[in-house]
Amino acid sequence: MGSKGQVLAALDTVSVNEAVGWAHKLDGAVAGLKLGLEFFLANGQLGYRRISATGIPIFLDLKLHDIPNTVAGAVKAIAPLQPSILTVHAGGGLAMMQAARESAAEQADKLKLKRPRIVGVTVLTSLDDKDLSAVGQTGPASDQVKRLAELTRSAGLDGIVCSPHEIEALRRDMGEEFLLVVPGVRPSGSDAGDQKRVRTPADAAKAGADYLVIGRPITQAADPRDAASRIVLEVGSALGQAAQ
Ligand code: C5P
């Protein structure tokens, strides 16, 4: 995985067979696959290995959040799986994120494996300003996103997960090297589902997203490989045009 506008297909299912089927169909068409809590809790490391055995890079979205020692232990437990990208909640604080990064580096060194990139989840897009105020956090969500993005960078993590509408501001504030992993992306003409503030893959890539996390428009398509390839083409031509 590397460079802007890469597509990660979110395999949101508890069925290993369904996920393996998608993985085979998408092999070579996308930059990676996203497995989340739902899949991991249902199928554990064995289920994960059935998908990673295809050789496609995995974005393991577990959103770890606990005291630093426990998160370091969780990262250690996951390290042999070699996810390409792993998530932690930035709200867990500086020491927790540093512990995650140190544990990942230590295990990679010990096991002679590539270190997973770790990205911080800032503010869940399911929370609006009112929800944040209900949990004692005053001020607009965008301020909190910026604060947590800076904390994530201070902890030495590789980037953050952010909404498509935050890309420009975060790219400007955080610089070119900071990874922006972006869900809530919908190819033009496709069903938004429960995603409220969507953007097209081409728009999100041009705005500076490194990774586009796209689930249903790919997995629920009659031909998932064709759907993924079209998105990759759309992004490629948008970036090509932007570079000219
Ligand atoms: O099917 P869809 O494209 O909406 O899937 C998006 C994926 O990104 C899902 O796996 C979802 O859990 C994840 N995600 C999201 N919004 C966030 C964070 C993650 O949709 N803020």
Side-chain angles (χ1 to χ4, degrees):
M1 296 197 207
S3 87
K4 298 268 180 273
Q6 302 229 48
V7 175
L8 305 178
L11 307 187
D12 290 315
T13 178
V14 291
S15 160
V16 176
N17 287 340
E18 190 171 37
V20 167
W22 283 331
H24 285 302
K25 283 184 187 137
L26 296 171
D27 193 5
V30 293
L33 303 171
K34 186 205 113 158
L35 294 175
L37 265 182
E38 184 186 2
F39 182 87
F40 201 74
L41 292 179
N43 304 299
Q45 297 212 355
L46 281 178
Y48 176 101
R49 286 185 190 279
R50 292 276 310 280
I51 311 304
S52 65
T54 57
I56 312 179
I58 308 276
F59 167 34
L60 185 56
D61 187 18
L62 298 182
K63 299 188 176 68
L64 302 174
H65 190 168
D66 210 312
I67 60 170
N69 188 53
T70 300
V71 167
V75 170
K76 182 176 176 187
I78 290 164
L81 298 178
Q82 296 190 72
S84 173
I85 308 178
L86 180 66
T87 50
V88 300
H89 265 291
L94 185 70
M96 187 204 81
M97 289 193 279
Q98 284 170 332
R101 190 205 58 200
E102 281 159 19
S103 178
E106 214 175 282
Q107 291 308 308
D109 202 41
K110 195 169 145 201
L111 304 172
K112 307 270 174 280
L113 301 172
K114 207 165 162 226
R115 176 181 77 78
R117 267 103 33 100
I118 306 185
V119 299
V121 175
T122 55
V123 176
L124 293 172
T125 48
S126 52
L127 303 177
D128 60 18
D129 289 346
K130 205 167 138 242
D131 297 317
L132 290 173
S133 136
V135 293
Q137 199 233 290
T138 51
S142 52
D143 288 0
Q144 180 70 349
V145 168
K146 182 160 187 244
R147 189 178 301 125
L148 289 175
E150 277 164 5
L151 195 66
T152 304
R153 185 171 54 188
S154 305
L157 297 196
D158 301 280
I160 53 169
V161 179
C162 70
S163 115
H165 297 278
E166 296 161 350
I167 302 169
E168 279 92 345
L170 287 164
R171 183 56 75 212
R172 195 179 52 236
D173 293 342
M174 309 305 296
E176 280 302 309
E177 299 304 313
F178 201 62
L179 286 183
L180 299 181
V181 178
V182 182
V185 179
R186 286 289 175 272
S188 30
S190 75
D191 185 2
D194 53 3
Q195 297 282 9
K196 293 200 176 82
R197 299 173 65 229
V198 298
R199 248 177 129 169
T200 66
D203 267 3
K206 275 194 289 184
D210 295 285
Y211 293 106
L212 309 171
V213 182
I214 307 175
R216 289 160 290 180
I218 294 174
T219 56
Q220 304 307 310
D223 182 343
R225 188 181 182 85
D226 179 61
S229 303
R230 282 170 193 271
I231 294 170
V232 170
L233 265 179
E234 180 188 330
V235 168
S237 79
L239 290 178
Q241 281 161 12
Q244 280 164 19

